Amino acid sequence: MSTRKGLILAGGTGSRLWPITQGLSKQLMPIYDKPMIYYPLSVLMLSGIREIAIITTPQDQAQFQNLLGDGTQWGVQITWLVQPSPDGLAQAYLIAEDFLAGDPSALILGDNIFFGHGLPELLASADRLSEGGTVFGYQVADPERYGVVGMNADGQVTQIVEKPEVPPSQLAITGLYFLDGTAPERARQVKPSPRGELEIADLLQSYLAEGNLSVERMGRGYAWLDTGTHASLLDAANFVRTLQSRQGMQTGCPEEIAFAAGWINAGQLKVQAARYAKTEYGTYLLGLL
């Protein structure tokens, strides 16, 4: 089990998805048969992380709590934190400073979905580094929409640029960050950007300046989906549906991960399966027994 703590940033107004997110948090929207937040939660659980803080807006928190509770059904411990206004990703480390209490962390954005056969191994190798930071690079066709990695001829990372007009590469930084215990301290040094936000790129730059930032590539065998638009929301749902119906295996299933890790027993899994008795999800959970 990891000594690292997990953070899921599930704040924001979801305004790019209006009107569908005007009455419901984006991270509670369905991705095929599960709420969006199940997928990032599953990534943290696959990393062996059992202490997780979920950062939401004040108005959305009750709905998240209603869905996820305190995490005991999956053998994890969920802490609830509030982001009063969306002032940038680096703000998550300031909000979670007391929760982290000097421990290393893995921050994942609540609308990021990862798939890949070697994902647990990739996460485990990032988790093993107790100092510095690890981020994950993914080749995209439209790098100007993301934070992008610049590298020299030897493949060493030289810069991270947020939404560049002229991208230095096609390697985008995904919304998953493994950082050591100094992240909150570093976040305090970050000045608001021209758009008034505490940018994660500036926080990562401080690790990079010390030669303490690794970029792990997620290659061809991986899928990284970010669900910020109506089209990408539908694409993600279709992707999950195709994968699950083809393989007969669930994706983003906290019960399965918890059971495989020994965090819950057969009796607890049976209780969860009974809750979803009228669904394919419930049938699948029963099948695990």
Side-chain angles (χ1 to χ4, degrees), residues 200-222:
I200 192 87
D202 293 341
L203 177 67
L204 297 176
Q205 200 71 44
S206 82
Y207 282 99
L208 188 57
E210 294 168 9
N212 228 348
L213 186 73
S214 313
V215 179
E216 292 277 351
R217 276 177 185 257
M218 287 185 170
R220 282 177 186 268
Y222 292 93

Side-chain angles (χ1 to χ4, degrees), residues 6 17 45 54 98 111 155 165 167 174 230 252 286:
L17 290 170
M45 290 173 69
I54 298 178
D98 290 345
D111 61 356
E165 281 180 30
T174 71
H230 298 101
L286 268 183

